[in-house]
Amino acid sequence: MPTRPEDVRPDVAIDVDHHSVEFNLDEVAATAAVRQRCPVAYDTRYGGFWFVTGYDEVATVAREVATFAHKYEPEADDGVCYIGDIGIPRPPELPALGVSEVDGPYHLELRRALNPLFSPPAVERQREFMERAADWFVDQHIERGAMDLVLDFTSTVPAVLTLRMLGLPCEDWRYYTDFFHSTKVHPTSSEEHDRAAALIPVILDGLAELAAQRRAAPTDDLCSFLVRLEVDGSPLSDEQVLAILWNLVSGGLDTTTALTSWTLHHLAGHPEVRQLLIDRPDLHAPATEEYLRYYSINQTLARTVARDVELGGQQLRRGDPLLVSWLGANHDPAQFDRPDEVVVDRADNRHLAFGLGPHRCIGSHLARTMFRVMLGTVLRRIPDYAVDPDGVREYLGNPAMTGLLTMPATFTPGPVVGVERPF
């Protein structure tokens, strides 16, 4: 029987609304307060759930996938309501994620098949396209000395690359980015969010149509790979292909965008760090890891306790919902010196921004490379950019992910490099 709020000791119970705007505006401080009180606390909101914020405890949850289930199966045969990983409460309009919300042998075989497509050598083959796309998008604005760093740049490169890899038209990048931004920036209770969520069936129909086209006439894109893939001796069903496509497009279009956006925002306010990265390109690699740690773009993910277990001194029961805070873990002073500062040359940075274990982010190599390409392009071509703080809009009411919707900037006009449009 799952834990009930009345079963929890008062010193372990908290009353924190992680969906509130106030929580999201200062999530580092909010999670620190929970972690300092109890790294495995029981939040009485939303029916009750365990809120895990300590580094060691979050790492344990991430590694022990048999105990802390990822799968979305609300009416499982074993009587447990498996809530998936999207959040607590789970937005009812969102379909299951075909890679991250499955467990067991199917997940392992699926990851084994997909991993080579996202390996370092495979990602390196995409670098030239990333570089040309980054330069092309900067070319569109550099002569006038102004652009929105999110809408005109950090959204664009991940979008066109993701669509190109999947087999979708790159020209539709703004349609997809506008949709995913709208579902993230507005609180889930708002009319704006509801209007964006209403487009989910339209997006899914488009992905289903792409899969049908590739079944009839496969090419060399990722969708064609999926429709030809066999797991346990059988081809993937239409439902499985659609769920995987949704997972890949939703993961590819916003995460690296958000990381790069927040990094450029930080550098705008810390010119000494910006100059250091301009002068020392060798620091781009450790800086990548530090910004991943500091911002922890996917800030929380949900799990379901699959069997009774003790975690951080607390007794968790089978069927308990649980929320891990990657952000809380990555700011834990027990693991990181000066955790609330950006230290671009930080050594031994064992952050959890990509997770751990079998469900570790499949696109981590791609994200790192794309981030460095975009960061390098900005520092090389518009190094003196200045952000208009009044035009910056961040995601609100979304505890699962942080990001920026807009970030207008000005800079010294420069020449176009004349790169041919890469898509």
Side-chain angles (χ1 to χ4, degrees):
M1 178 179 175
T3 301
R4 299 171 301 176
E6 56 267 29
D7 299 330
V8 179
R9 300 196 318 265
D11 61 309
V12 176
I14 60 174
D15 181 16
V16 175
D17 186 359
H18 62 296
H19 283 275
S20 69
V21 171
E22 294 75 19
F23 182 92
N24 281 264
L25 283 174
D26 198 357
E27 193 162 343
V28 170
T31 54
V34 174
R35 186 182 59 244
Q36 289 164 10
R37 177 172 177 178
C38 185
V40 181
Y42 190 86
D43 197 328
T44 56
R45 296 269 180 156
Y46 303 106
F49 62 94
W50 294 100
F51 193 17
V52 185
T53 55
Y55 182 92
D56 289 341
E57 293 80 7
V58 168
T60 296
V61 172
R63 289 192 185 99
E64 297 184 6
V65 295
T67 301
F68 303 99
H70 293 66
K71 63 183 177 181
Y72 177 53
E73 195 175 343
E75 298 180 359
D77 292 339
D78 62 4
V80 174
C81 174
Y82 294 97
I83 62 173
D85 67 11
I86 292 178
I88 297 174
R90 182 189 178 91
E93 70 274 3
L94 293 181
L97 300 175
V99 181
S100 59
E101 291 194 315
V102 292
D103 280 325
Y106 170 69
H107 172 257
L108 293 176
E109 193 165 346
L110 185 61
R111 283 292 297 252
R112 191 177 298 116
L114 289 172
N115 280 340
L117 304 180
F118 295 92
S119 66
V123 170
E124 194 59 31
R125 291 192 289 272
Q126 302 284 351
R127 181 186 292 273
E128 182 183 0
F129 177 85
M130 297 181 208
E131 293 172 341
R132 289 191 294 123
D135 272 327
W136 188 87
F137 280 110
V138 171
D139 268 0
Q140 310 312 301
H141 306 278
I142 195 168
E143 289 183 308
R144 66 184 183 90
M147 65 191 299
D148 190 301
L149 289 173
V150 177
L151 299 179
D152 300 325
F153 185 68
T154 62
S155 288
T156 63
V157 180
V160 296
L161 178 65
T162 300
L163 297 180
R164 178 174 181 259
M165 290 178 65
L166 291 176
L168 291 162
C170 291
E171 293 77 11
D172 292 343
W173 67 267
R174 189 172 291 280
Y175 167 73
Y176 284 95
T177 57
D178 285 352
F179 162 73
F180 282 105
H181 276 156
S182 296
T183 59
K184 301 293 194 305
V185 70
H186 302 295
T188 54
S189 58
S190 66
E191 293 182 4
E192 294 89 347
H193 180 273
D194 290 344
R195 284 197 294 269
L199 292 175
I200 290 176
V202 180
I203 301 288
L204 290 173
D205 286 346
L207 295 176
E209 182 179 353
L210 172 68
Q213 291 171 352
R214 293 302 187 263
R215 283 200 190 276
T219 62
D220 61 351
D221 53 44
L222 216 163
C223 184
S224 298
F225 175 85
L226 291 174
V227 299
R228 291 178 293 191
L229 178 63
E230 292 189 357
V231 173
D232 196 23
S234 300
L236 298 178
S237 67
D238 290 343
E239 292 76 14
Q240 288 172 318
V241 170
L242 182 59
I244 296 168
L245 288 174
W246 172 259
N247 200 159
L248 295 177
V249 72
S250 61
L253 260 67
D254 215 21
T255 49
T256 310
T257 290
L259 174 65
T260 313
S261 301
W262 272 122
T263 298
L264 295 179
H265 183 272
H266 179 266
L267 294 177
H270 296 80
E272 73 287 355
V273 180
R274 184 188 341 193
Q275 191 60 51
L276 180 62
L277 294 181
I278 291 173
D279 296 338
R280 296 275 309 277
D282 60 299
L283 290 179
H284 288 196
T288 300
E289 303 310 309
E290 179 65 349
Y291 282 113
L292 281 163
R293 180 199 70 82
Y294 183 79
Y295 286 110
S296 300
I297 297 302
N298 284 118
Q299 297 187 313
T300 62
L301 285 176
R303 300 287 184 265
T304 307
V305 180
R307 57 191 177 200
D308 291 359
V309 65
E310 184 177 298
L311 179 69
Q314 308 304 324
Q315 182 62 49
L316 280 58
R317 298 177 180 173
R318 179 173 176 266
D320 281 352
L322 179 149
L323 197 69
V324 292
S325 174
W326 308 111
L327 183 70
N330 284 335
H331 284 255
D332 190 339
Q335 177 66 29
F336 301 99
D337 180 49
R338 294 182 288 161
D340 298 337
E341 298 179 29
V342 172
V343 183
V344 293
D345 60 350
R346 186 184 295 274
D348 192 28
N349 192 345
R350 297 193 301 156
H351 65 77
L352 305 178
F354 289 123
L356 288 175
H359 277 273
R360 188 177 184 277
C361 176
I362 195 171
S364 60
H365 301 304
L366 187 65
R368 285 187 171 104
T369 302
M370 195 158 21
F371 170 81
R372 292 176 195 168
V373 166
M374 288 192 286
L375 175 64
T377 300
V378 168
L379 296 181
R380 171 172 51 87
R381 299 197 60 190
I382 53 172
D384 64 345
Y385 72 91
V387 168
D388 174 10
D390 293 332
V392 175
R393 293 181 62 199
E394 63 179 280
Y395 294 176
L396 297 175
N398 181 4
M401 187 170 177
T402 185
L404 296 176
L405 179 66
T406 58
M407 185 167 49
T410 56
F411 43 85
T412 301
V416 301
V417 298
V419 63
E420 184 178 352
R421 178 173 171 147
F423 57 91

